[in-house]
Amino acid sequence: MGQAAFDEIMGFAGGPPPRAELAALGRWLEATPDHELRRRQQSAEAAFRQLGITFAVYGESEASERIIPFDIVPRVFMADEWARLSEGLVQRVEAINAFLDDIYGDQRILKEGVLPADLVLGNPQFRPEIAGIRPPHGVRAHICGIDLVRTGPDDFFVLEDNARTPSGVSYMLENREAMLRLCPELFRNFRVASVDSYPDRLLETMKSVAPHGVGAPTCVVLTPGHYNSAYYEHSFLADSMGIELVEAADLIVDDDVVWMRTIAGRVKVDVIYRRVDDDFLDPLVFRPDSMLGVPGLIAAYAAGNVAILNAPGNGIADDKAIYSYMPEIVRFYSGGEVRLPNVETHRCREADALAYTLDHLDELVVKLVDGSGGYGMLVGPTATRAEIEAFRAALIAEPHRYIAQPTLALSTVPTMAERGLAPRHVDFRPFVLTGAKGVQVVPGGLTRVALREGSLVVNSSQGGGTKDSFVLMDDAPAAQTQSQSQAGQSQSQTGAPRC
């Protein structure tokens, strides 16, 4: 990579610590022996295992259910940093919603030539079946996870957008509960914004987008079932919101109205938070062999009788080739410049970009435009010659399926390794909710950490772990005033997510 990584606690190697406000965290790390940090970390992971907080590794015959490793050292965002990030996140999510509403409606952005029409209309994630359907209140991307990376004190970049069915929020909540229980002293040293209100915020968002005229909407979470890799999250969120977790067999559509079967009879359903992919959502519209979807659901949606979070067809906004146009998309719909920039991206569908990528494969990160989970990706500086040549052949055969980006020196945060604390690369997924009343950014998120030394791949399926993400309510240590200390103690007593 060449460039030295920025450590969010220690700064650049050889330089002064970047934020004196984090001195208390440095003192805590120095004062707490490695064996005590490791004991607390193991206690958290044991609790996660007991609760069943696991994810599935598809295609593996052994150890198919795993916990995501948890790291005891938190990642910290200062209040002023968070304010700037929030402004950029709101702008981006508003643009994503406007883009989705446009391409399934008037398609102004295509008619005016801002995006190549074939990039959208020929994309497998574009769903012509729902063109012309406008969801209740016009919101399509109700829940977004925007993946960010950091390369310096003030340098944040969007790595990718997740507007389909972003996952990971249960880890955000459980990580915080573990930290409150195991490291309460940190919440006396810092005034940390609470994340435990997320289920209430999500339920409020769901209710706000119910079909017009519905006074007390019935909301449900639709899951593919317990074999899904994120099933724990589905059940956790349904339980936390106090609503039903349902599978396809629990729902029926009659005269374009969705009903839930219960022991007391049928109950009309107004809002569905679906964790089922588009392909399987309605066998009458998408894959006819789907056993996970609800026949007639899209007809009920088109009739305006049910809201679906997130809306069908949102996968087009997750496409990495579309991502490369996000600065133009933001400018087109907002009239302003993007506040959170993209990582420089080469679209391999373009001849010049393909030629550059082929000449610099050993320096670049190459990704499938519809890839996820760290699969279908080449990290040039760490790849073998055979891997590089395999990607070269794939690029030449189907260049439109790939984008390429420079290998960034992602920021690091101290992390428990085999031999004690060591810097490990991190990324960040904040969660943004959009309802009829506007956009809100949850003050926290999921920090993913590459546990292997030197690795830039943070995905859990590729051996990554997670950290709690502290968003400070101000930039002064809580210990400076008695009132701040009391606030921190109060939060440590009440901040656990409700289950």
Side-chain angles (χ1 to χ4, degrees):
M1 290 182 295
Q3 180 186 356
F6 168 75
D7 189 273
E8 297 186 12
I9 306 301
M10 304 307 298
F12 286 110
R19 296 174 288 182
E21 299 89 348
L22 294 186
L25 180 59
R27 290 194 296 270
W28 177 75
L29 290 173
E30 291 178 1
T32 310
D34 282 356
H35 67 82
E36 174 61 15
L37 292 174
R38 200 177 304 278
R39 183 194 68 78
R40 298 186 194 187
Q41 185 164 300
Q42 291 169 346
S43 176
E45 292 185 345
F48 293 167
R49 190 174 289 107
Q50 185 175 17
L51 287 169
I53 309 175
T54 62
F55 71 101
V57 183
Y58 298 127
E60 293 191 6
S61 57
E62 298 179 1
S64 60
E65 291 287 334
R66 301 176 182 173
I67 65 165
I68 297 181
F70 169 71
D71 187 74
I72 198 72
V73 183
R75 198 242 193 106
V76 181
F77 292 94
M78 310 303 292
D80 61 336
E81 290 173 346
W82 190 253
R84 292 195 303 273
L85 285 176
S86 294
E87 288 179 0
L89 289 166
V90 169
Q91 180 198 49
R92 194 172 186 101
V93 168
E94 287 178 341
I96 288 172
N97 266 295
F99 168 70
L100 290 167
D101 201 48
D102 185 21
I103 62 169
Y104 288 112
D106 295 337
Q107 300 183 344
R108 288 191 305 116
I109 198 166
L110 304 184
K111 293 173 182 175
E112 297 188 26
V114 178
L115 269 69
D118 70 293
L119 187 64
V120 174
L121 303 180
N123 195 303
Q125 294 300 326
F126 178 74
R127 303 294 183 176
E129 301 91 342
I130 64 164
I133 300 176
R134 199 152 195 272
H137 307 278
V139 181
R140 294 180 183 271
H142 310 83
I143 307 155
C144 288
I146 308 297
D147 290 352
L148 304 174
V149 294
R150 186 178 195 174
T151 59
D154 300 309
D155 301 319
F156 290 89
F157 298 90
V158 177
L159 189 62
E160 63 181 53
D161 302 297
N162 296 278
R164 193 167 14 189
T165 52
S167 62
V169 74
S170 61
Y171 289 97
M172 174 186 77
L173 296 172
E174 292 289 10
N175 286 353
R176 175 59 53 84
E177 184 172 18
M179 290 297 289
L180 286 163
R181 178 169 56 87
L182 296 169
C183 304
E185 66 273 22
L186 285 177
F187 296 88
R188 293 191 289 269
N189 290 334
F190 296 103
R191 295 188 65 230
V192 181
S194 175
V195 296
D196 70 302
S197 63
Y198 179 85
D200 293 332
R201 293 179 187 228
L202 177 57
L203 184 58
E204 178 187 0
T205 298
M206 293 178 69
K207 290 180 176 180
S208 78
V209 297
H212 296 282
V214 176
T218 297
C219 305
V220 300
V221 177
L222 175 62
T223 177
H226 66 279
Y227 291 110
N228 183 266
S229 63
Y231 179 75
Y232 171 80
E233 179 161 295
H234 307 165
S235 58
F236 174 89
L237 287 174
D239 185 55
S240 298
M241 290 187 286
I243 64 178
E244 295 295 330
L245 179 69
V246 299
E247 297 183 28
D250 300 314
L251 301 179
I252 186 172
V253 177
D254 186 5
D255 197 21
D256 292 344
V257 175
V258 182
W259 300 88
M260 174 172 54
R261 296 183 173 98
T262 75
I263 57 173
R266 299 200 310 186
V267 175
K268 182 174 175 289
V269 173
D270 306 295
V271 184
I272 299 174
Y273 175 23
R274 56 91 175 215
R275 296 300 292 263
V276 176
D277 289 343
D278 284 355
D279 280 341
F280 302 97
L281 196 55
D282 183 342
L284 300 183
V285 176
F286 302 118
R287 283 185 55 160
D289 61 341
S290 171
M291 302 295 290
L292 305 176
V294 182
L297 179 59
I298 297 303
Y301 179 62
N305 293 328
V306 68
I308 301 176
L309 286 72
N310 280 338
N314 278 18
I316 186 68
D318 292 6
D319 184 271
K320 293 177 177 62
I322 298 293
Y323 153 92
S324 70
Y325 283 97
M326 276 305 296
E328 291 88 345
I329 291 171
V330 168
R331 193 178 304 117
F332 182 78
Y333 294 110
S334 74
E337 293 303 315
V338 65
R339 293 193 177 105
L340 277 176
N342 280 10
V343 176
E344 179 188 4
T345 302
H346 306 283
R347 296 184 282 262
C348 296
R349 70 197 305 270
E350 299 170 1
D352 290 347
L354 175 62
Y356 177 85
T357 300
L358 292 173
D359 287 343
H360 297 83
L361 277 176
D362 60 341
E363 304 169 14
L364 299 171
V365 176
V366 184
K367 304 175 183 178
L368 282 165
V369 295
D370 57 351
S372 62
Y375 296 106
M377 181 171 74
L378 175 79
V379 181
T382 61
T384 65
R385 183 174 296 277
E387 289 169 337
I388 289 175
E389 292 310 312
F391 258 80
R392 185 185 305 279
L395 278 163
I396 292 170
E398 297 181 298
H400 62 282
R401 297 192 64 205
Y402 295 91
I403 56 101
Q405 296 171 328
T407 307
L408 300 178
L410 304 186
S411 62
T412 61
V413 175
T415 300
M416 282 303 299
E418 288 185 9
R419 298 181 181 178
L421 288 173
R424 292 292 186 266
H425 296 290
V426 293
D427 79 351
F428 182 57
R429 176 176 292 180
F431 296 94
V432 186
L433 298 175
T434 304
K437 299 177 183 178
V439 184
Q440 55 180 320
V441 182
V442 181
L446 180 66
T447 287
R448 300 183 298 180
V449 54
L451 295 176
R452 290 193 286 268
E453 183 176 3
S455 175
L456 297 172
V457 182
V458 300
N459 305 82
S460 56
S461 55
Q462 307 292 309
T466 67
K467 289 173 171 286
D468 193 7
S469 308
F470 286 12
V471 173
L472 301 191
M473 297 170 65
D474 56 45
D475 288 344
Q480 286 186 1
T481 67
Q482 181 66 26
S483 62
Q484 288 174 333
S485 177
Q486 291 172 348
Q489 291 171 353
S490 174
Q491 184 182 10
S492 72
Q493 294 166 0
T494 63
R498 135 178 100 77
C499 300

